[in-house]
Amino acid sequence: MPRIPVHTVDDAPEASKDELSALRAKVGKVLNIHGEMAHSPVVLAAYSGIQQAIAEHGTFDARTREAIALAVGAVDHCAYCQSVHTGSARKAGWTRDQTIALRAGEPIEGEEKLLALLGVAREAVSEVGVVDESTWQAALDAGWTTEELGELFSHIAVNLFTNYFNHYAQTELDIPAAPGL
């Protein structure tokens, strides 16, 4: 049972209504996570601020963003985010089996460059921000720039934000569950 009420646009605090309405328009409905975030306008604003910065300044395509989200969600054991991002990853062009491989950290033929980036993300999440020099260098050697590795941190941060929020609030799944690993 969720610890925080799930709001609709109509019953959300006034300071959350516009942002919650925008998220509903983007996603097609108010997801439980967004409805819970709306209960505390600062939480919804913080999440939206990171998302807006990524939208305005980020360079990763949708496939890369979703792969990062799946990897981070798997390391953090966030069932909600793995489910949301499995659906989004499918829309971005990943197959069902590839979404499972991305979550499990398994190789995907032809995706060696991306997997090097995900290695940095996974290590940063599992080691509380610490990334071994060899992991970092492997990403550089695969073709990622230091600017892109810097950008990766914002994607890690927004996914940690949502993963931790879901654990904290005990968000109930309101979308199809991700396939098991």
Side-chain angles (χ1 to χ4, degrees), residues 133-172:
E133 190 60 37
S134 63
T135 305
W136 187 270
Q137 189 61 50
L140 292 172
D141 292 347
W144 296 102
T145 66
T146 54
E147 291 82 8
E148 290 167 323
L149 293 176
E151 178 181 337
L152 174 61
F153 186 79
S154 65
H155 294 271
I156 293 168
V158 75
N159 285 287
L160 286 173
F161 189 96
T162 56
N163 292 178
Y164 284 20
F165 181 82
N166 286 321
H167 295 308
Y168 185 75
Q170 297 180 348
T171 305
E172 289 183 344

Side-chain angles (χ1 to χ4, degrees), residues 24-91:
R24 179 182 63 189
K26 180 179 176 182
V27 178
K29 69 176 191 173
V30 173
L31 294 174
N32 283 350
I33 184 176
H34 299 148
E36 289 172 342
M37 286 179 174
H39 192 68
S40 180
V42 67
V43 175
L44 188 59
Y47 166 73
S48 296
I50 298 171
Q51 289 286 40
Q52 182 178 348
I54 289 171
E56 289 179 16
H57 305 286
T59 62
F60 296 151
D61 64 14
R63 286 181 89 245
T64 303
R65 291 189 310 266
E66 293 306 328
I68 295 165
L70 287 171
V72 173
V75 172
D76 277 346
H77 308 286
C78 182
Y80 193 92
C81 285
Q82 289 180 77
S83 297
V84 167
H85 291 289
T86 291
S88 298
R90 296 295 308 276
K91 289 177 186 170

Side-chain angles (χ1 to χ4, degrees), residues 117-138:
L117 182 73
L118 298 181
V120 174
R122 287 176 173 284
E123 195 167 309
V125 173
S126 66
E127 298 299 325
V128 196
V130 177
V131 176
D132 187 75
E133 190 60 37
S134 63
T135 305
W136 187 270
Q137 189 61 50

